Amino acid sequence: MLPHEPSRPSSLSSAANGSTRVLGACPHDCPDTCSLVTTVQAGVAVRVQGNPDHAHTGGVLCNKVSRYTERTYHPERLLRPQKRVGPKGSGRFVEVGWDDALADIAARLSAIARRDPQAILPYSYAGTMGLVQGESMAGRFFHRLGASLLDRTICASAGAEGLVQTLGGKLGMRIQHFAESRLILIWGSNSIGSNLHFWRHVQEAKRRGARVVCIDPRRTETADKCHEHLALLPGTDAALAFALMHELIVHDWLDHAYLADHTLGWPELRARALEWPVERAAAVCGLPAEQIRALARDYGTLGPAAIRLNYGMQRVRGGGNATRAIACLPALVGAWRHPAGGLLMSSSSNFPVQRAALQRPDLLAGRRPRTINMSTIGDDLLREAGPAFGPRIEALVVYNSNPVAVAPDSAQVVRGFAREDLFTVVLEHFRTDTADYADYLLPATTQLEHWDIHPSYGHTDVLLNRPAIAPQGEARPNTAVFRELAQRMGLDDPAFRDDDEALCRQAFAPAQVDFDTLLRQGFASLRLPEAPFAHGGFPTPSGKCEFFSARLAAQGHDGLPDHLPNHEAAGSSAAYPLAMISPPARNFLNSTFVNVTSLRDIEREPVLEIHPQDAAARGIADGTVVRVFNARGEYACKADVTDRARPGVVHGLGIWWRKSGLAGTNVNQLTSQRLTDLGRAPTFYDCLVEVETAPAPVATHLAAADATAA
Ligand SMILES: Nc1nc2c(c(=O)[nH]1)N[C@H]1C(S)=C(S)[C@@H](COP(=O)(O)OP(=O)(O)OC[C@H]3O[C@@H](n4cnc5c(=O)[nH]c(N)nc54)[C@H](O)[C@@H]3O)O[C@H]1N2
Ligand SMILES: Nc1nc2c(c(=O)[nH]1)N[C@H]1C(S)=C(S)[C@@H](COP(=O)(O)OP(=O)(O)OC[C@H]3O[C@@H](n4cnc5c(=O)[nH]c(N)nc54)[C@H](O)[C@@H]3O)O[C@H]1N2
Ligand code: SF4
Ligand SMILES: [Mo]
């Protein structure tokens, strides 16, 4: 059992039976950023639990991370550096010593850097959200080299840009106050699957009589538990938001004083909203008009009203504008006046992270390398040198990411990674799809084995992660690899001498976040107002909630939000009549945990959810193997015939490793590299497909695969 005394003296405490408990932070890309307690006996982590002293964690972890020891001690953990011996992608490696691996990597990168350092590209995302094992030492290394910069757009940049333009930052309600709301809109998010600790606040609000509405094309487990579910077509959220505004206007459910004092562009927004009578939006969204009217009535009359907006609705062409439109809503009804009213998409801008101190962009010393968008890595790896593009990408260093599985348009991504003249280094825990394409595969430490420090995008506490156990095998932290490479490449700068604890200390100014508090209790809360915009004070250029954005207008965008139909809008193609979204499977985190047996056993196998009507029209029975295809490629999986899907929309739950898929592909074989309106983000959920029962070749491939497996 965990001790519950709140004044536990240190984050490294000893218990009577000789075990120690080490405080840490969940590293995963999840808004909950849980505080972890790892029990260690004789150097072995025996249990990872939620910290009961941390209010946002409340002693509870999700199913995935409560299996963290299974992942850490997995028999397939990479324990020693490996060098490729077979053709690219064959996954044939031999073990090599760290010295040999690092010497060779340093030599190869130096040779490329002498010609043009921009031919080297780092590729990383949020395998760990830690500021130290993320972009600290890595940033210093690539900046000092002058390597290409990476535009980290793969998840959230469309919504982030929409929020920044409207509210002035990734800011909003404090998550705990949702418990006091009377109406909660869960918009583009499967909270029970991906934001579990928020769901506890929803349950509390429900107990107090709140009404809860889910806005999601898929009938998720979250939708099941809400009072109402609006199953709109993917990419139609802005139309819905405008119809809500229309109703608020015609019924005068408006806070005129708030509009006058704290918003910019109300007359213009009002005029645009009046172009969206409920019937027009109902036709665009594929929803009953009465359901939209009822939602508007609730939103206009039940206060405080709170919106939990999340990133599921911004992975479409108009994702940035849809975020802007929705982010306008709380100001219309003055919801921000109350701590339990308003909106939350991300809380990250609250954290005064000293990114320049960690990443040292000054080491560029005036050079301005080009920027490559991670969401178009498929095309960019295949691009030839040219005046617009610059040099061909010759070396790729991948850490904290699995692009071959998670980036859109995988056929193109794989073609890029398969280039025999591309030098690829991958730092990983496991032999992922991306690792298969490495020239050098370097074993990385997990969160139980290294230091780190974490902000959160769901709550407003900083967390410290202390190592609980020694690195497994010869695994090394990402930071150690970049330090060593710098030294071997003669990049002599004091920036490469900071150790990981020192880096943790540089993440925040002591006046903002007290490091001793972090050492003592594992977390520290930021001092913030309870209702951030009760009296306006939006950190936009005008200080107001900007319905109209002069900044966007100056960049040639529409100054007002608008509904932009999908690149591949439902009903726009006879060849590909079904809209496909690919939200995550609950027991995986993006492509992480796919190889953890106990979790994979719950998810069982890749599936496509399809409505009984769409299945019947194609002669597809539940459980049959189907071929899902479009012009970009095809994907084979089992059909789950279910009314979790609405007619016209199918769900390819993700993100399985390609090599665990039936025909060696995953759902990203179908997604495109087209980008969003704002934020240069991918459009994973803006994708048309057709589905048919799999013809014989796939079934044969399957039988062969089964035979090999058995
Ligand atoms: N268990 C688990 N938790 C996770 C993750 C995971 O993979 N697994 N991923 C983590 C990451 S990286 C992120 S970014 C967050 C994401 O967290 P959220 O943004 O909350 O995303 P999801 O739970 O993926 O839910 C997205 C929901 O949006 C719906 N959706 C799809 N298209 C549309 C649309 O056009 N409009 C609307 N209104 N809804 C739409 C999908 O059906 C899905 O239910 O979750 C994090 N948490
Ligand atoms: N079709 C479709 N595609 C999607 C999405 C979708 O909903 N649908 N979601 C998108 C979203 S929201 C996101 S955020 C991206 C996520 O894409 P990624 O950020 O690539 O996330 P993961 O797939 O979880 O891969 C992270 C990898 O980092 C490794 N890792 C973890 N910690 C460390 C460490 O400390 N050191 C090193 N070296 N490696 C580490 C893990 O082992 C794992 O293999 O995928 C996107 N792709
Ligand atoms: S993945 Fe999310 S819910 Fe699970 S332990 Fe980590 S932060 Fe908590
Ligand atoms: Mo994400």
Side-chain angles (χ1 to χ4, degrees), residues 125-371:
Y125 200 64
T128 168
M129 297 282 287
L131 296 171
V132 171
Q133 302 308 334
E135 305 312 325
S136 70
M137 210 37 92
R140 294 175 184 192
F141 174 72
F142 291 110
H143 285 144
R144 176 68 183 75
L145 267 184
S148 285
L149 303 172
L150 185 73
D151 198 4
R152 293 187 170 79
T153 55
I154 202 145
C155 168
S157 59
E161 180 76 8
L163 273 196
V164 167
Q165 296 300 344
T166 311
L167 305 179
K170 290 181 266 177
L171 299 164
M173 287 175 62
R174 306 192 69 182
I175 199 139
Q176 57 270 34
H177 291 309
F178 279 83
E180 303 134 39
S181 308
R182 293 212 37 229
L183 175 69
I184 299 176
L185 274 47
I186 300 180
W187 199 324
S189 179
N190 179 8
S191 310
I192 295 179
S194 63
N195 190 189
L196 187 64
H197 294 77
F198 162 69
W199 185 253
R200 293 179 316 157
H201 302 306
V202 177
Q203 283 175 309
E204 174 59 22
K206 271 169 89 176
R207 275 194 289 276
R208 298 185 194 183
R211 187 169 169 74
V212 186
V213 179
C214 180
I215 303 172
D216 192 315
R218 178 173 185 243
R219 186 166 65 72
T220 59
E221 53 267 61
T222 306
D224 284 337
K225 299 237 158 55
C226 291
H227 297 107
E228 188 75 30
H229 173 213
L230 280 76
L232 79 183
L233 289 167
T236 63
D237 300 83
L240 176 61
F242 282 120
L244 296 179
M245 291 182 207
H246 183 280
E247 290 296 284
L248 298 175
I249 294 166
V250 299
H251 294 279
D252 197 23
W253 291 318
L254 298 170
D255 184 332
H256 293 281
Y258 197 91
L259 283 168
D261 295 343
H262 305 307
T263 71
L264 184 75
W266 172 235
E268 294 85 352
L269 182 69
R270 183 177 180 281
R272 178 152 297 172
L274 288 174
E275 295 167 13
W276 283 95
V278 168
E279 276 68 20
R280 179 180 175 201
V284 169
C285 301
L287 289 174
E290 197 36 55
Q291 205 179 19
I292 301 179
R293 272 199 195 90
L295 178 60
R297 191 178 318 115
D298 287 346
Y299 194 69
T301 58
L302 291 179
I307 300 175
R308 179 63 172 120
L309 187 60
N310 226 322
Y311 291 109
M313 46 65 64
Q314 49 97 66
R315 303 198 166 105
V316 292
R317 172 183 170 228
N321 266 276
T323 304
R324 290 176 71 200
I326 296 165
C328 293
L329 286 167
L332 268 69
V333 296
W336 292 116
R337 291 186 189 277
H338 196 287
L343 170 145
L344 176 66
M345 187 177 213
S346 165
S347 56
S348 6
S349 298
N350 288 299
F351 293 86
V353 178
Q354 303 196 116
R355 281 187 211 282
L358 287 174
Q359 302 172 10
R360 300 289 306 275
D362 57 294
L363 293 170
L364 283 169
R367 293 166 297 176
R368 290 168 154 266
R370 62 151 173 217
T371 299

Side-chain angles (χ1 to χ4, degrees), residues 380-536:
D380 288 339
L381 282 178
L382 294 169
R383 246 184 260 283
E384 298 296 337
F389 183 64
R392 190 163 164 85
I393 298 170
E394 291 182 57
L396 194 61
V397 182
V398 183
Y399 51 102
N400 305 339
S401 186
N402 183 11
V404 172
V406 307
D409 194 2
S410 325
Q412 191 75 343
V413 177
V414 166
R415 273 191 287 274
F417 272 83
R419 271 176 49 200
E420 285 291 338
D421 63 336
L422 179 72
F423 179 62
T424 303
V425 179
V426 177
L427 285 62
E428 251 301 349
H429 299 149
F430 292 106
R431 268 269 298 283
T432 59
D433 290 332
T434 306
D436 283 342
Y437 287 87
D439 290 283
Y440 278 101
L441 181 50
L442 304 177
T445 46
T446 67
Q447 192 77 339
L448 298 191
E449 300 150 54
H450 55 225
W451 282 91
D452 220 323
I453 187 163
H454 292 253
S456 169
Y457 62 101
H459 61 66
T460 49
D461 294 346
V462 175
L463 274 70
L464 183 70
N465 185 76
R466 288 203 190 203
I469 55 172
Q472 294 302 290
E474 296 176 16
R476 293 189 183 174
N478 296 341
T479 45
V481 173
F482 293 114
R483 253 185 230 109
E484 284 263 350
L485 284 175
Q487 197 200 359
R488 284 166 195 264
M489 292 171 73
L491 309 179
D492 184 28
D493 189 288
F496 297 114
R497 294 200 274 275
D498 290 333
D499 68 18
D500 286 4
E501 189 186 338
L503 290 167
C504 287
R505 288 177 183 271
Q506 290 164 23
F508 295 94
Q512 307 264 18
V513 177
D514 177 39
F515 203 78
D516 290 332
T517 305
L518 289 175
L519 285 171
R520 195 174 62 250
Q521 65 176 15
F523 60 91
S525 303
L526 300 176
R527 288 178 296 273
L528 293 166
E530 298 300 321
F533 309 129
H535 309 288

